[in-house]
């Protein structure tokens, strides 16, 4: 102890899905961790409405959450495995269908409400002796010196560690206070989200229809309803939010081309602005960024939290195996080298899809339709793509 300053190995600002998972991975391997989180995780009850924010948790993320000690609780609370993914284009009759059975897998992943994942990782963290969740709390400032980083909280208390991790989301405070630059691409689009009941069964399939305005995804939930993410130009999203429920249900069923029949019921609706971003660099002396603090991507392939959890696994692996300084540039540069490429490639791929499917020239539409049909008929290539998306 330095005076009244409590010492840790690592301080994580932000105990969201990525920050809390990272903390569990580190603490389970014997590192002493503090997590500063502004808000208490929501309580879960089985009869509560579905959270508007859900994520398609990949196999790689599932494995990370198993290691963190949170997966069993997620399954016990509420999660829906999906066994297939069907993607098609409003222009033409081509489609691409991915089937878990073709890969010899029980499912392609799980649709999990963000507040369920959050609850489970927070509970797992609270069980670990060498982790302190400081919540509700906020950081005020930090000072980096040769050997440590000292964080002052808004309540005046100080804590120190060898490394400060920013896992504090897209508007990261750590990133800003560290003076790390972030390049943002405002897509001018919003993701309209809602939970709906459809006339036909979702068949535990994730359905995604590309429209020139953006993709519309129906993600299967355990009780037979679906969570939708409808990417739209922001003014269109506002328009659909303003419709009464009857008109919205008709517009939504039409947008999915009645693939799941009529929309029987719609709950609360919300919209989130969509932005791509990359922090440059991800690391500085005694500072590292993970998850949305380091990068955000278009949600069209549902990879945002999956990339963040890969950051957490990579950084935890390097720290757990480190012999020397945990906040030195040697270790931190290795983390950045390991993760930036994957994050940037995934971001560019999502942007490429967005632009390709947003193109309305007839020649592009014809080529797109032909391409989808061809792609669907080459299982080796198709299965390789889905394996990559699953993080296998
Ligand atoms: C419409 C939409 C749909 C999406 N769908 C998917 C999907 O299907 N699959 C997928 O993988 N991803 C999806 N994403 C992306 C995904 O939600 C994010 O990538 C994920 O939430 C990032 O997790 P995180 O822990 O890095 O950040 P966050 O979830 O933003 O967590 C940050 C945490 O830090 C805390 N915090 C912030 N600032 C401070 C501070 N100053 N002090 C203390 N605490 C602080 C916050 O309270 C929060 O708990 C979607 C995104 C959108 C917008």
């Amino acid at each position: 102890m330095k005076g009244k300053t409590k010492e840790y190995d690592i301080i994580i600002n932000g105990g969201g899905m990525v920050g809390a998972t990272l903390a569990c991975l580190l603490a389970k391997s014997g590192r002493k961790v503090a997590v500063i989180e502004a808000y208490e995780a929501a309580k879960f009850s089985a009869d509560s409405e579905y959270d508007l924010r859900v994520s398609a948790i990949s196999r790689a993320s599932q494995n990370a959450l198993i290691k963190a000690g949170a997966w069993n609780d997620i399954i016990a609370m509420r999660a829906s495995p999906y066994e297939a993914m069907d993607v098609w284009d409003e222009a033409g009759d081509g489609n691409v269908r991915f089937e878990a059975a073709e890969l010899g897998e029980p499912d392609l992943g799980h649709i999990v409400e963000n507040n369920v994942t959050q609850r489970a990782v927070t509970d797992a963290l609270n069980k670990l002796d060498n982790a302190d969740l400081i919540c509700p709390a906020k950081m005020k400032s930090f000072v980096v010196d040769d050997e440590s980083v000292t964080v002052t909280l808004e309540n005046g208390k100080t804590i120190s560690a060898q490394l400060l991790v920013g896992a504090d989301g897209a508007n990261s405070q750590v990133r800003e206070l560290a003076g790390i630059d972030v390049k943002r691409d405002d897509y001018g689009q919003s993701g309209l989200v809602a939970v709906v009941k459809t006339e036909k069964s979702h068949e535990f399939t994730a359905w995604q229809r590309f429209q020139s305005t953006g993709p519309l995804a129906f993600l299967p939930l355990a009780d037979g309803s679906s969570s939708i993410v409808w990417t739209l130009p922001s003014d269109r999203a506002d328009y659909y939010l303003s419709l009464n429920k009857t008109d919205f249900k008709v517009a939504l069923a039409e947008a999915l081309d009645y693939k799941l029949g009529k929309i029987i019921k719609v709950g609360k609706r919300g919209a989130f602005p969509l932005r791509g971003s990359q922090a440059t660099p991800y690391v500085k002396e005694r500072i590292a960024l993970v998850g949305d603090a380091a990068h955000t991507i278009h949600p069209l392939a549902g990879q945002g939290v999956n990339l963040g959890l890969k950051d957490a696994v990579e950084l935890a692996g390097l720290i757990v195996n480190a012999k020397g300084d945990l906040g030195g540039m040697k270790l931190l540069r290795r983390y950045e080298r390991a993760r930036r490429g994957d994050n940037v490639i995934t971001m560019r791929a999502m942007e490429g899809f967005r632009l390709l499917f947003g193109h309305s020239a007839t020649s592009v539409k014809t080529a797109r339709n032909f391409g989808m049909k061809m792609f669907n008929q080459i299982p080796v290539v198709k299965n390789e793509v889905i394996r990559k998306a699953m993080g296998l």
Side-chain angles (χ1 to χ4, degrees):
M1 242 337 155
K2 265 194 232 164
K4 283 199 169 120
T5 301
K6 190 163 178 188
E7 285 177 30
Y8 296 89
D9 293 322
I10 301 109
I11 298 169
I12 301 171
N13 195 49
M17 295 186 280
V18 173
T21 302
L22 172 63
C24 289
L25 297 176
L26 291 169
K28 276 178 160 259
S29 304
R31 298 295 182 180
K32 208 167 164 219
V33 189
V35 178
I36 307 163
E37 169 54 49
Y39 302 102
E40 307 246 10
K43 299 245 180 311
F44 175 82
S45 97
D47 53 10
S48 62
E49 274 183 32
Y50 275 91
D51 186 5
L52 280 185
R53 297 284 304 261
V54 306
S55 296
I57 298 291
S58 70
R59 187 72 79 247
S61 294
Q62 178 181 341
N63 290 338
L65 292 162
I66 290 171
K67 267 182 126 177
W71 186 250
N72 287 345
D73 281 356
I74 289 175
I75 295 296
M77 280 188 263
R78 210 158 51 185
S80 172
Y82 61 104
E83 293 154 13
M85 191 191 301
D86 207 304
V87 181
W88 75 106
D89 184 4
E90 68 176 354
D93 55 358
N95 80 317
V96 178
R97 189 169 173 88
F98 302 98
E99 302 259 4
E102 278 181 27
L103 302 171
E105 293 284 331
D107 53 66
L108 295 177
H110 289 73
I111 306 300
V112 188
E113 295 151 83
N114 286 6
N115 66 11
V116 165
T117 305
Q118 182 66 60
R119 181 74 263 159
V121 284
T122 304
D123 289 347
L125 183 60
N126 277 326
K127 286 182 199 146
L128 298 169
D129 287 341
N130 46 341
D132 285 341
L133 176 58
I134 307 171
C135 175
K138 277 196 158 186
M139 179 173 80
K140 189 171 166 216
S141 59
F142 63 82
V143 179
V144 173
D145 63 33
D146 286 349
E147 286 173 6
S148 63
V149 47
T150 303
V151 170
T152 303
L153 301 174
E154 278 187 350
N155 65 9
K157 287 194 176 146
T158 53
I159 52 178
S160 75
Q162 295 179 51
L163 176 67
L164 170 64
V165 178
D168 41 4
N171 299 316
S172 169
Q173 182 190 17
V174 171
R175 189 182 66 213
E176 193 175 324
L177 291 179
I180 295 178
D181 206 20
V182 60
K183 188 176 170 302
R184 287 195 183 88
D185 258 335
D186 192 337
Y187 300 133
Q189 291 184 315
S190 295
L192 190 160
V193 290
V195 175
V196 303
K197 277 228 190 290
T198 52
E199 190 181 12
K200 296 185 192 167
S201 161
H202 56 44
E203 295 168 358
F204 290 94
T205 297
W207 304 92
Q208 180 147 260
R209 184 179 190 226
F210 279 93
Q211 300 178 282
S212 56
T213 43
L216 166 61
F218 273 58
L219 306 172
L221 298 174
D223 70 346
S225 56
S226 301
S227 172
I228 67 152
V229 183
W230 192 358
T231 303
L232 291 157
S234 296
D235 55 344
R236 287 305 285 170
D238 290 342
Y239 165 72
Y240 284 123
L241 284 179
S242 74
L243 288 182
N244 64 44
K245 283 193 174 177
T246 310
D247 292 343
F248 180 76
K249 286 191 282 188
V250 173
L252 182 61
E254 266 174 21
L256 198 71
D257 202 20
Y258 293 95
K259 188 67 117 189
L260 300 179
K262 290 183 192 157
I263 306 296
I264 308 294
K265 200 174 159 197
V266 59
K268 268 188 301 190
R269 286 168 270 171
F272 300 92
L274 303 178
R275 290 188 191 97
S277 66
Q278 283 289 332
T280 305
Y282 288 174
V283 299
K284 255 182 144 171
E285 196 76 46
R286 308 213 169 275
I287 307 289
L289 303 176
V290 293
D292 275 21
H295 47 76
T296 57
I297 67 167
H298 197 286
L300 75 81
Q303 288 298 320
V305 76
N306 293 313
L307 291 179
L309 290 172
K310 279 173 146 186
D311 295 347
V313 169
E314 182 67 38
L315 186 59
L318 289 167
I319 291 175
V320 167
N321 293 318
K323 299 275 182 282
D325 187 0
L326 306 181
M329 286 311 287
K330 198 169 158 214
L331 183 150
L332 297 178
R333 280 205 193 96
R334 281 180 68 194
Y335 160 68
E336 170 140 16
R337 272 200 302 275
R339 291 302 308 141
R340 180 177 288 282
D342 185 28
N343 291 333
V344 170
I345 287 169
T346 309
M347 181 178 169
R348 295 275 169 259
M350 294 311 118
E351 278 167 12
F353 277 126
R354 189 175 68 81
L355 294 174
L356 177 67
F357 283 94
H359 222 292
S360 52
T362 310
S363 56
V364 178
K365 286 201 265 189
T366 310
R368 212 161 61 198
N369 195 43
F370 177 73
M372 282 187 109
K373 284 183 176 169
M374 288 296 291
F375 181 75
N376 198 42
Q377 285 164 23
I378 313 173
V380 181
V381 179
K382 199 173 71 169
N383 291 344
E384 204 43 45
V385 168
I386 194 71
R387 279 184 172 282
K388 169 101 179 97
M390 291 169 79
L392 292 173

